[in-house]
Amino acid sequence: MHFDLPTIWAILVTILIAGYIVTDGFDLGVGILHGIVAKTDIEKRVTINAIGPVWDGNEVWFITAGGAAFAAFPELYAALFSSLYIALFVVLLALIYRAVSFEFRSKEESEGWRKFWDQSIFWSSLLVALLIGVAIGNILAGIPIKNSMIEGDVLHGFVYAEKFPMSFINLVNPLKFHGLYGLLVGITTVLFIIMHGVSWLIWKTEGSIAERARSVGMKVWLPFVIMYVICTGLAYTISFKIGNPENLKYLNLPQDMMQQIASMVQGNVLPHALFRFPVIELILIVLAALCAVGWLIAVKNMKGGQAFLFSTLTFLFAGFAVMFGAYPLAVPSSIGLEHSITIYNGCSSQLTLTVMLVAAIIFTPIVIAYQAWVYKMFLFKISPESLKREIEEAAEH
Amino acid sequence: MDFVLLVSRLQFAMTAFFHFVFVPLTLGLSTLSAIMLTLHYATGKEIYRDMAKFWSKLFAINFALGVATGLVHEFEFGMNWSVYSRFVGDIFGAPLAIEGLLAFFMESTFMGVFLFGWDKVPKTVHLLAAWLSSIGSNLSALWILIANGWMQHPAGAKVEMFVAGKRAELSDWWAVVFNPVADVKFWHTATAGMVLSAIFVLAVSSYHLLRKQHVEFFKKSAYIALIFGLIASIGEVIIGDIHAHEVAKTQPTKLAAMEALWDTKQGANVLLAAWADQKAQKNIIEIPLPIPGLLSFLATHDFNGKLLGAKDLQKMFEAKFGPGEYIPPVNFVFWAFHIMVYLGFFFVILFIWGLAKYRNLENATGFLKVALYSLPLPYIACWLGWATAEVGRQPWIVYPLTDDYGKILLPEIGLKTAQAVSPLTNIEVVITYIIFLATFTGLAIADFYLLSKFASKGPEKEAELY
């Protein structure tokens, strides 16, 4: 691993994506749990109020991660977003419905209106969680993209080799490895998101909702751990074939990294591509597992703050293990390794990366500081009882 | 036109238009709410508190869809315009990322504190949050317009060959940030948001004053809107003039289309109305304003200044870039631009009229009716402004860099819209176009329904529970 600008930006974009999953993750989880743990209208309002002041700000992580990927890795952004066109479209649609569901639900008294938006909150949250996981899984396993430069086309960059509808179907096609892996990571992500939502509800609410959240948490823990083990294990079976070794120069990797890869190639295959920092990865995976255990204990004892910390750490350790595993590949190509997007052939110029780094160094700590401050301000407990009291008091005025 | 290109353009334009239903109100109403809250905390009067609460509730209903359509907008660059995104990402991506980091986090985080913090956070914190949210939303506009301004006038860039292909690369960051086109675009947009919000507040207030309900409340609201709107609308006219001057220098083909100017002229006249025959390269009808040389003066600040006509520009561009159509659709751009300008002047008059009638506003039925039915007009003006800017840029998605006299300095940075589209299939773009259209339309209707429900209800006190 080098400490050059593309690497620093790979870490920063990973942090932004992790920031998104850690922050918006719990409100996605609460969105799913909204359909499970909240039975009465009052309870439903409590679950929405539990994330009311913060989900908006959380979603900004997604916009910022998208913007940072655009700025730091434009080739990656352009290739990925046009390749995953329909999948991304579904995510956007779900995010839109989710955003307006929160806003619109309580604005009408009628039962049908509220039921509609309740359903919308549940399904959109579930779909976003699932598809983000599906996308991550597909990208890790490698999708059929090709570098048009290899054919002498200077304008199109990295393009998807398959056309719709197969380009979309194969993302969730269990008969294709990347589709299968996508599905597995998708399910794992949903389970994690539910766990993270459980942490938040225990932390932020008390009474019936927190109780039910706890019992959901106790049920999803084991399936999550099993899925995580399966995904991690399968990751180490991923290998990449090489079409024309001459063209590996298009990966634009630093000299020593090229040699390292060359020494690993067997025949025309690069085996176990996701295994270049075994010690670091192993430590991170073990830490993720330990935090998952810590989470279970915290949930059992109804310690919301601790549970939140542990679910956050579980994701961060697992996420960074993935980043280390994939480095320096950003999107491996299933057509041939030489067509892959790496952090070196997908990145912006040195000047842009430098300018952006200065901006990130100044503003990221500020953003984290005021977000933490706002969270602290809104971290009082709420419950169906407290909400009823508030409504009664307001009615008296 | 290629089908994928056509639908991608329609989809992007549609997203932009829906986005711009919600954004200008966010820009201005956040500031107006912050002003009302400041008045409350400064004077201690309850009425200002109720005002801030009432208007910020409408603001909140409007905000969610602004975010949602903005998110789609950001992602559509990569989804539908992948060639554009990879060609310009080195420069264009940076302002978008900084917008998120610097402005959008600030706007949405503090908006949460403002809307949910009544009586829960200290007064100073609450007030600070209202202002930070307003500043955040306007900063957000600044960075987006720096990105958009770069497409119009790609300053601070060079073209390089990279391992994944040819692309534009950053050469001077400050030239991108202080791009003169971007900076006037920002002020033009920010003031447009203020004018729109002022008319929004004025129209809702007029609705209630016509019914003689909550008279004090809405009279005060209208007063704030009238003063705010008058300042903003006069500013808008001045900035609009500076903006047109920039366009004349940097995008001569756009200016020619905006003014239906076919022949190169010294001392050119402003046309009040015109209808062009694009094929024959002439106007069938033209009604000039009887002030000789006014257009030359506005564009070059010299009554005798020379303006290049579309015919000569077409020849110049053909010589440089090969055969093709280099003049945007003249009738469309001319009328989009002219109706926007006429509306701009109308808004100034509307605010002056309102201030003249202010003492007895609740009985000025004529004015109140006009103000109420003016509500759609600033929205139309905003859309037409964007249509002028973006259709006027065609056939380019990145306009070739020019110097201050319209001479092309960096032809190779010019990228045509037709080259920039993603390699998608017809069916994909049709699916997303239709579903986005249906979704946005449905949500806009729901949004307007809620806005009108809460706006017509007035400032009744009720539980603030989401």
Side-chain angles (χ1 to χ4, degrees):
Chain A
M1 187 171 246
H2 290 250
F3 275 93
D4 47 20
L5 282 164
T7 304
I8 292 170
W9 270 101
I11 295 171
L12 283 175
V13 172
T14 310
I15 291 175
L16 283 171
I17 295 171
Y20 171 68
I21 299 202
V22 165
T23 56
D24 208 33
F26 74 77
D27 62 58
L28 285 169
V30 172
I32 299 172
L33 290 162
H34 176 77
I36 303 171
V37 301
K39 314 269 187 217
T40 64
D41 186 58
I42 286 271
E43 287 177 347
K44 285 189 190 294
R45 283 211 214 177
V46 171
T47 56
I48 294 178
N49 280 8
I51 53 173
V54 290
W55 70 266
D56 239 356
N58 293 345
E59 223 153 75
V60 179
W61 284 93
F62 197 46
I63 295 178
T64 308
F70 196 171
F73 300 103
E75 306 286 352
L76 171 84
Y77 167 86
L80 215 50
F81 281 29
S82 57
S83 304
L84 304 178
Y85 188 78
I86 293 289
L88 208 55
F89 163 72
V90 177
V91 171
L92 288 177
L93 215 52
L95 281 176
I96 294 172
Y97 276 106
R98 215 174 86 87
V100 294
S101 302
F102 289 133
E103 294 295 330
F104 287 179
R105 183 193 177 276
S106 303
K107 301 273 187 308
E108 276 288 326
E109 295 290 334
S110 104
E111 203 180 317
W113 170 275
R114 291 197 171 177
K115 273 220 172 100
F116 175 81
W117 295 115
D118 283 337
Q119 288 288 326
S120 169
I121 289 170
F122 173 77
W123 287 106
S124 57
S125 302
L126 183 67
L127 209 55
V128 171
L130 180 71
L131 284 178
I132 286 174
V134 167
I136 292 174
N138 272 285
I139 292 165
L140 288 174
I143 48 177
I145 46 162
K146 59 176 202 277
N147 185 347
S148 346
M149 257 304 255
I150 293 179
E151 289 151 16
D153 173 350
V154 298
L155 206 55
H156 283 86
F158 296 90
V159 294
Y160 211 64
E162 284 171 358
K163 286 284 174 199
F164 188 80
M166 286 324 283
S167 59
F168 176 64
I169 293 171
N170 281 342
L171 296 178
V172 288
N173 179 357
L175 302 175
K176 286 254 175 194
F177 182 74
H178 65 85
L180 174 69
Y181 198 62
L183 276 178
L184 292 173
V185 176
I187 294 166
T188 315
T189 310
V190 170
L191 292 170
F192 167 76
I193 293 287
I194 293 175
M195 284 167 59
H196 204 38
V198 166
S199 306
W200 182 257
L201 282 182
I202 294 179
W203 198 8
K204 175 73 189 165
T205 71
E206 51 197 4
S208 56
I209 290 172
E211 292 289 337
R212 281 185 219 130
R214 172 176 177 265
S215 85
V216 172
M218 304 299 285
K219 277 181 209 139
V220 294
W221 184 81
L222 191 61
F224 167 77
V225 171
I226 293 170
M227 287 303 294
Y228 181 63
V229 170
I230 292 174
C231 289
T232 311
L234 270 180
Y236 293 107
T237 70
I238 298 171
S239 61
F240 301 107
K241 59 174 193 258
I242 298 166
N244 181 356
E246 274 284 291
N247 287 338
L248 284 176
K249 64 172 191 267
Y250 284 100
L251 298 180
N252 205 24
L253 298 178
Q255 204 62 44
D256 56 330
M257 231 180 253
M258 262 326 267
Q259 281 162 0
Q260 201 188 348
I261 286 186
S263 72
M264 290 165 71
V265 173
Q266 296 167 0
N268 263 346
V269 174
L270 177 68
H272 306 308
L274 300 164
F275 209 49
R276 236 159 277 123
F277 308 95
V279 179
I280 301 177
E281 280 165 48
L282 209 63
I283 292 172
L284 287 170
I285 291 168
V286 169
L287 284 172
L290 285 177
C291 289
V293 174
W295 181 86
L296 185 68
I297 297 168
V299 167
K300 204 169 182 184
N301 297 327
M302 292 293 269
K303 300 263 192 259
Q306 279 179 25
F308 191 79
L309 180 69
F310 279 126
S311 49
T312 300
L313 288 176
T314 304
F315 180 79
L316 288 183
F317 287 133
F320 274 94
V322 168
M323 198 217 84
F324 274 101
Y327 180 89
L329 293 177
V331 184
S333 169
S334 57
I335 294 175
L337 188 65
E338 65 272 32
H339 287 284
S340 303
I341 307 177
T342 69
I343 62 167
Y344 292 100
N345 69 12
C347 64
S348 281
S349 64
Q350 296 285 313
L351 180 57
T352 300
L353 293 177
T354 311
V355 168
M356 295 285 302
L357 185 62
V358 173
I361 288 173
I362 298 173
F363 292 111
T364 315
I366 299 178
V367 169
I368 292 176
Y370 67 57
Q371 274 215 329
W373 175 70
V374 168
Y375 270 71
K376 223 180 123 212
M377 210 151 44
F378 282 103
L379 216 69
F380 45 85
K381 291 248 184 197
I382 56 174
S383 66
E385 287 69 36
S386 72
L387 188 64
K388 264 184 213 148
R389 268 200 308 279
E390 257 186 76
I391 294 173
E392 278 157 18
E393 276 170 25
E396 274 168 32
H397 274 293
Chain B
M1 203 188 287
D2 175 10
F3 186 76
V4 172
L5 173 65
L6 176 71
V7 180
S8 290
R9 281 186 68 184
L10 284 174
Q11 179 169 308
F12 203 81
M14 173 192 72
T15 313
F17 275 35
F18 274 105
H19 190 49
F20 235 65
V21 175
F22 309 108
V23 168
L25 188 63
T26 306
L27 289 178
L29 203 53
S30 61
T31 312
L32 275 169
S33 310
I35 290 174
M36 290 162 182
L37 191 67
T38 310
L39 287 171
H40 166 58
Y41 285 139
T43 64
K45 284 186 186 154
E46 279 298 304
I47 190 164
Y48 291 119
R49 176 197 162 89
D50 294 344
M51 273 162 73
K53 251 193 172 162
F54 176 76
W55 295 108
S56 65
K57 191 198 273 171
L58 299 183
F59 167 83
I61 296 171
N62 177 71
F63 183 74
L65 282 182
V67 177
T69 47
L71 184 68
V72 174
H73 229 347
E74 185 195 17
F75 280 49
E76 271 177 356
F77 284 114
M79 289 167 72
N80 291 84
W81 304 98
S82 63
V83 176
Y84 168 78
S85 298
R86 66 154 298 279
F87 183 77
V88 304
D90 194 70
I91 300 155
F92 190 83
L96 292 192
I98 292 179
E99 187 255 350
L101 198 59
L102 176 69
F104 201 45
F105 266 123
M106 188 164 143
E107 175 184 3
S108 46
T109 308
F110 289 106
M111 200 191 73
V113 178
F114 174 35
L115 294 177
F116 287 83
W118 292 98
D119 305 322
K120 292 195 177 84
V121 299
K123 278 183 185 178
T124 44
V125 172
H126 196 225
L127 186 60
L128 189 69
W131 278 107
L132 285 175
S133 163
S134 157
I135 292 168
S137 58
N138 283 285
L139 271 181
S140 194
L142 172 66
W143 288 101
I144 294 304
L145 287 154
I146 285 174
N148 180 270
W150 189 84
M151 300 166 79
Q152 318 280 353
H153 184 62
K158 58 186 185 208
V159 176
E160 294 283 332
M161 193 57 96
F162 185 61
V163 277
K166 193 175 80 159
R167 69 179 187 183
E169 286 190 3
L170 185 66
S171 63
D172 180 354
W173 170 245
W174 297 113
V176 174
V177 175
F178 295 112
N179 181 348
V181 175
D183 299 337
V184 292
K185 262 179 177 299
F186 164 67
W187 288 108
H188 193 58
T189 311
T191 44
M194 292 175 192
V195 172
L196 183 140
S197 309
I199 291 181
F200 179 84
V201 172
L202 189 62
V204 173
S205 302
S206 299
Y207 172 86
H208 290 282
L209 291 175
L210 279 168
R211 280 164 186 70
K212 302 273 188 297
Q213 47 199 13
H214 313 291
V215 169
E216 197 203 348
F217 182 92
F218 284 109
K219 217 176 150 181
K220 274 220 161 72
S221 294
Y223 189 53
I224 294 174
L226 284 169
I227 293 187
F228 189 72
L230 182 65
I231 296 169
S233 63
I234 292 174
E236 181 73 310
V237 171
I238 296 168
I239 292 155
D241 169 59
I242 299 172
H243 191 11
H245 182 63
E246 279 304 326
V247 170
K249 289 197 291 192
T250 55
Q251 294 179 303
T253 51
K254 186 189 278 182
L255 185 86
M258 276 157 66
E259 295 295 348
L261 183 69
W262 291 102
D263 297 301
T264 301
K265 261 186 204 157
Q266 271 185 322
N269 263 3
V270 168
L271 297 181
L272 281 175
W275 193 259
D277 179 344
Q278 185 111 6
K279 275 220 178 84
Q281 298 195 320
K282 65 178 172 79
N283 292 334
I284 303 166
I285 305 165
E286 48 178 60
I287 303 169
L289 188 75
I291 305 175
L294 184 63
L295 178 60
S296 285
F297 176 75
L298 290 174
T300 64
H301 292 180
D302 171 8
F303 277 104
N304 225 354
K306 187 172 120 182
L307 287 179
L308 287 171
K311 281 186 198 164
D312 286 337
L313 286 166
Q314 172 71 21
K315 280 182 208 137
M316 270 173 57
F317 273 73
E318 269 180 9
K320 200 119 204 170
F321 299 102
E325 171 72 64
Y326 292 96
I327 305 303
V330 172
N331 287 329
F332 184 93
V333 178
F334 179 92
W335 281 108
F337 174 65
H338 279 247
I339 296 172
M340 175 192 75
V341 171
Y342 297 150
L343 287 172
F345 283 110
F346 168 73
F347 300 145
V348 177
I349 295 167
L350 183 73
F351 292 123
I352 294 175
W353 184 15
L355 280 172
K357 292 267 178 197
Y358 179 69
R359 272 174 204 285
N360 198 12
L361 197 64
E362 64 273 32
N363 295 319
T365 317
F367 170 77
L368 293 175
K369 276 191 179 151
V370 172
L372 175 59
Y373 292 115
S374 293
L375 182 59
L377 299 181
Y379 287 92
I380 293 170
C382 283
W383 287 335
L384 292 175
W386 275 109
T388 307
E390 308 310 307
V391 177
R393 195 189 59 228
Q394 302 305 325
W396 304 101
I397 192 163
V398 181
Y399 201 90
L401 185 74
T402 59
D403 67 5
D404 273 359
Y405 306 96
K407 188 170 158 257
I408 294 158
L409 293 178
L410 196 58
E412 64 268 30
I413 208 163
L415 184 72
K416 287 187 180 167
T417 312
Q419 297 174 296
V421 71
S422 300
L424 297 166
T425 54
N426 292 352
I427 181 105
E428 279 171 291
V429 288
V430 167
I431 291 175
T432 58
Y433 178 61
I434 291 175
I435 299 181
F436 271 142
L437 181 63
T439 305
F440 288 157
T441 310
L443 292 178
I445 291 170
D447 193 76
F448 278 122
Y449 165 71
L450 287 177
L451 269 179
S452 58
K453 180 182 153 183
F454 280 86
S456 59
K457 216 187 216 172
E460 261 113 41
K461 290 196 178 152
E462 52 168 318
E464 289 290 320
L465 301 165
Y466 277 73

